[in-house]
Amino acid sequence: MSLLLAMTGWHVEDWRARFAALLPDMPVVILGEPFDRRSVHYVASWKHPEGSLSGLPNLAAVFSLGAGVDHLFADTRLPEVPIARVVDPDLTTRMSEYVVLHCLRYLRQQPRYDRQQREAIWDDDRNQPAARSVRVGIMGMGELGQDAARKLKVVGFDVAGWSRSPRTIDGLATFSGSEGMVDFLGRTDILVSLLPLTPDTRGLIDAKLLAGLAQGGRLGGPFLINAGRGRLQVEADILAALEAGTLKGATLDVFETEPLPTESPLWSHPAVTVTPHNAAMSEPEAVATLIAAQIRRLEAGEPLEHVVDPARGY
């Protein structure tokens, strides 16, 4: 019985050492080296080559090495076994830090003051909205979205959430489905996207969605923060909305193509903040520890936690 590491772009030997220390009685093999495919009961994957997990007759579970699982469903020959995602409290906290940081930047008009500092402009503007008068809308009400909502409410923001299916969350206004989207967008001054990438969410942040955001809020116009997945957004539509003034600013941690091409106008747009997909980076040791614990649960006959619904893609 062995654990197969199937990943690209990462230092696989470092991961082997982590898992070997956590699971000393389980051999850890690496995709691309010789191994007995019948011995593999578990796979830990990050963007494995398509079809490379086929022909593992005793495979019991696949674990994503990151919070997202869209890279797994990109494999059209993915085995039909349970898939578990990482739910890491540290990652959740880091994402909430990112969301709160950039909501506060827009609330306190920090991008404007940064520009004024570069130009040596002293503008003693007394127009400072209170957090309670600024409406934040979070798309995606999983662990990440709910934690960010709680922390934004502590700061004082007026927070609501949207999800594909109805959710009831104490103390939070919630909207769902296409029927709830119009009202949700119409009460949103800062839109935060923490959605997973699925066939239903691909290209969701487009011209139509952006045009539905509130235009009469205390910030003078709406802002976008996308720390979910890059292919949720249509970057040409974001740029067009910025130029038209229907969107006042955008903070983007994820992009249609990553790394963001050097020729992308997002790099230099004065109303755009670019971060390199690092809003919430899990510590590798924490991820390996969580997956090892899941494997021990299965070996003890206990149910797998954080199982993905293939029909939903998350």
Side-chain angles (χ1 to χ4, degrees), residues 33 35 53 79 83 86-87 95 110 118 151 198 226 297:
E33 69 180 18
F35 63 90
L53 304 189
I83 297 169
V86 170
V87 177
M95 182 61 83
Q110 193 60 46
R118 290 192 295 270
K151 289 169 181 172
T198 70
N226 184 12
R297 285 180 60 86

mmCIF file of all heavy atoms in Angstrom, residues 33 35 53 79 83 86-87 95 110 118 151 198 226 297:
data_model
loop_
_atom_site.group_PDB
_atom_site.id
_atom_site.type_symbol
_atom_site.label_atom_id
_atom_site.label_comp_id
_atom_site.label_asym_id
_atom_site.label_seq_id
_atom_site.Cartn_x
_atom_site.Cartn_y
_atom_site.Cartn_z
ATOM 1 N N GLU A 33 8.634 7.806 -11.804
ATOM 2 C CA GLU A 33 9.619 6.807 -11.410
ATOM 3 C C GLU A 33 8.951 5.436 -11.416
ATOM 4 O O GLU A 33 7.723 5.334 -11.340
ATOM 5 C CB GLU A 33 10.183 7.116 -10.021
ATOM 6 C CG GLU A 33 9.206 6.940 -8.890
ATOM 7 C CD GLU A 33 9.810 7.265 -7.524
ATOM 8 O OE1 GLU A 33 10.860 7.943 -7.470
ATOM 9 O OE2 GLU A 33 9.207 6.858 -6.515
ATOM 10 N N PHE A 35 7.183 2.212 -10.239
ATOM 11 C CA PHE A 35 6.467 1.783 -9.040
ATOM 12 C C PHE A 35 5.385 0.796 -9.457
ATOM 13 O O PHE A 35 4.970 0.744 -10.616
ATOM 14 C CB PHE A 35 5.857 2.969 -8.276
ATOM 15 C CG PHE A 35 4.816 3.750 -9.040
ATOM 16 C CD1 PHE A 35 3.474 3.408 -8.981
ATOM 17 C CD2 PHE A 35 5.193 4.840 -9.822
ATOM 18 C CE1 PHE A 35 2.516 4.129 -9.680
ATOM 19 C CE2 PHE A 35 4.246 5.563 -10.530
ATOM 20 C CZ PHE A 35 2.901 5.207 -10.458
ATOM 21 N N LEU A 53 -3.397 9.194 -13.770
ATOM 22 C CA LEU A 53 -3.933 8.454 -12.627
ATOM 23 C C LEU A 53 -4.776 7.259 -13.066
ATOM 24 O O LEU A 53 -5.355 6.569 -12.221
ATOM 25 C CB LEU A 53 -4.771 9.378 -11.742
ATOM 26 C CG LEU A 53 -4.075 10.636 -11.215
ATOM 27 C CD1 LEU A 53 -4.945 11.340 -10.182
ATOM 28 C CD2 LEU A 53 -2.703 10.325 -10.632
ATOM 29 N N PRO A 79 -10.002 9.032 -12.313
ATOM 30 C CA PRO A 79 -10.702 7.855 -11.774
ATOM 31 C C PRO A 79 -11.894 8.261 -10.909
ATOM 32 O O PRO A 79 -11.887 9.303 -10.250
ATOM 33 C CB PRO A 79 -9.625 7.156 -10.933
ATOM 34 C CG PRO A 79 -8.325 7.631 -11.503
ATOM 35 C CD PRO A 79 -8.574 9.038 -11.952
ATOM 36 N N ILE A 83 -12.737 12.247 -3.835
ATOM 37 C CA ILE A 83 -11.747 13.317 -3.939
ATOM 38 C C ILE A 83 -11.921 14.226 -2.731
ATOM 39 O O ILE A 83 -13.040 14.631 -2.405
ATOM 40 C CB ILE A 83 -11.940 14.110 -5.233
ATOM 41 C CG1 ILE A 83 -11.718 13.212 -6.452
ATOM 42 C CG2 ILE A 83 -11.005 15.326 -5.278
ATOM 43 C CD1 ILE A 83 -12.159 13.851 -7.751
ATOM 44 N N VAL A 86 -8.360 20.344 0.513
ATOM 45 C CA VAL A 86 -7.715 20.813 1.730
ATOM 46 C C VAL A 86 -8.578 21.896 2.375
ATOM 47 O O VAL A 86 -8.961 22.865 1.717
ATOM 48 C CB VAL A 86 -6.311 21.370 1.425
ATOM 49 C CG1 VAL A 86 -5.744 22.083 2.641
ATOM 50 C CG2 VAL A 86 -5.379 20.239 1.001
ATOM 51 N N VAL A 87 -8.897 21.721 3.629
ATOM 52 C CA VAL A 87 -9.533 22.766 4.426
ATOM 53 C C VAL A 87 -8.571 23.068 5.569
ATOM 54 O O VAL A 87 -8.499 22.345 6.556
ATOM 55 C CB VAL A 87 -10.910 22.329 4.948
ATOM 56 C CG1 VAL A 87 -11.503 23.422 5.830
ATOM 57 C CG2 VAL A 87 -11.846 22.015 3.790
ATOM 58 N N MET A 95 -6.653 34.090 3.885
ATOM 59 C CA MET A 95 -7.572 34.663 2.899
ATOM 60 C C MET A 95 -8.383 35.794 3.506
ATOM 61 O O MET A 95 -8.586 36.843 2.877
ATOM 62 C CB MET A 95 -8.494 33.583 2.348
ATOM 63 C CG MET A 95 -9.445 34.087 1.274
ATOM 64 S SD MET A 95 -8.590 34.738 -0.188
ATOM 65 C CE MET A 95 -8.274 33.189 -1.056
ATOM 66 N N GLN A 110 -7.052 54.421 0.284
ATOM 67 C CA GLN A 110 -5.602 54.364 0.260
ATOM 68 C C GLN A 110 -5.005 54.464 -1.144
ATOM 69 O O GLN A 110 -3.964 55.118 -1.324
ATOM 70 C CB GLN A 110 -5.101 53.097 0.959
ATOM 71 C CG GLN A 110 -3.607 53.108 1.251
ATOM 72 C CD GLN A 110 -3.207 54.271 2.151
ATOM 73 O OE1 GLN A 110 -3.866 54.539 3.151
ATOM 74 N NE2 GLN A 110 -2.149 54.982 1.785
ATOM 75 N N ARG A 118 2.733 60.292 -4.323
ATOM 76 C CA ARG A 118 3.694 60.300 -5.436
ATOM 77 C C ARG A 118 3.752 61.664 -6.107
ATOM 78 O O ARG A 118 4.800 62.069 -6.622
ATOM 79 C CB ARG A 118 3.322 59.213 -6.449
ATOM 80 C CG ARG A 118 3.554 57.792 -5.958
ATOM 81 C CD ARG A 118 3.441 56.800 -7.092
ATOM 82 N NE ARG A 118 2.103 56.732 -7.664
ATOM 83 C CZ ARG A 118 1.150 55.904 -7.246
ATOM 84 N NH1 ARG A 118 1.383 55.082 -6.230
ATOM 85 N NH2 ARG A 118 -0.036 55.897 -7.816
ATOM 86 N N LYS A 151 -15.249 38.375 9.789
ATOM 87 C CA LYS A 151 -14.211 39.340 10.151
ATOM 88 C C LYS A 151 -14.520 40.729 9.591
ATOM 89 O O LYS A 151 -14.211 41.746 10.231
ATOM 90 C CB LYS A 151 -12.853 38.810 9.707
ATOM 91 C CG LYS A 151 -12.449 37.621 10.584
ATOM 92 C CD LYS A 151 -11.260 36.849 10.092
ATOM 93 C CE LYS A 151 -10.988 35.682 11.051
ATOM 94 N NZ LYS A 151 -9.956 34.767 10.562
ATOM 95 N N THR A 198 -15.943 26.345 -11.695
ATOM 96 C CA THR A 198 -16.762 25.246 -12.186
ATOM 97 C C THR A 198 -17.297 25.661 -13.561
ATOM 98 O O THR A 198 -17.159 26.824 -13.965
ATOM 99 C CB THR A 198 -17.955 24.970 -11.244
ATOM 100 O OG1 THR A 198 -18.889 26.058 -11.333
ATOM 101 C CG2 THR A 198 -17.491 24.814 -9.789
ATOM 102 N N ASN A 226 -10.994 39.961 -6.514
ATOM 103 C CA ASN A 226 -11.097 38.546 -6.904
ATOM 104 C C ASN A 226 -9.885 37.798 -6.388
ATOM 105 O O ASN A 226 -8.766 37.993 -6.856
ATOM 106 C CB ASN A 226 -11.205 38.371 -8.420
ATOM 107 C CG ASN A 226 -11.421 36.904 -8.797
ATOM 108 O OD1 ASN A 226 -11.714 36.057 -7.938
ATOM 109 N ND2 ASN A 226 -11.288 36.594 -10.073
ATOM 110 N N ARG A 297 -7.401 8.299 8.886
ATOM 111 C CA ARG A 297 -8.829 8.110 9.117
ATOM 112 C C ARG A 297 -9.355 6.959 8.264
ATOM 113 O O ARG A 297 -10.089 6.085 8.753
ATOM 114 C CB ARG A 297 -9.607 9.388 8.774
ATOM 115 C CG ARG A 297 -9.491 10.519 9.764
ATOM 116 C CD ARG A 297 -10.299 11.731 9.312
ATOM 117 N NE ARG A 297 -11.711 11.420 9.172
ATOM 118 C CZ ARG A 297 -12.585 11.472 10.171
ATOM 119 N NH1 ARG A 297 -12.179 11.823 11.385
ATOM 120 N NH2 ARG A 297 -13.846 11.175 9.972
#
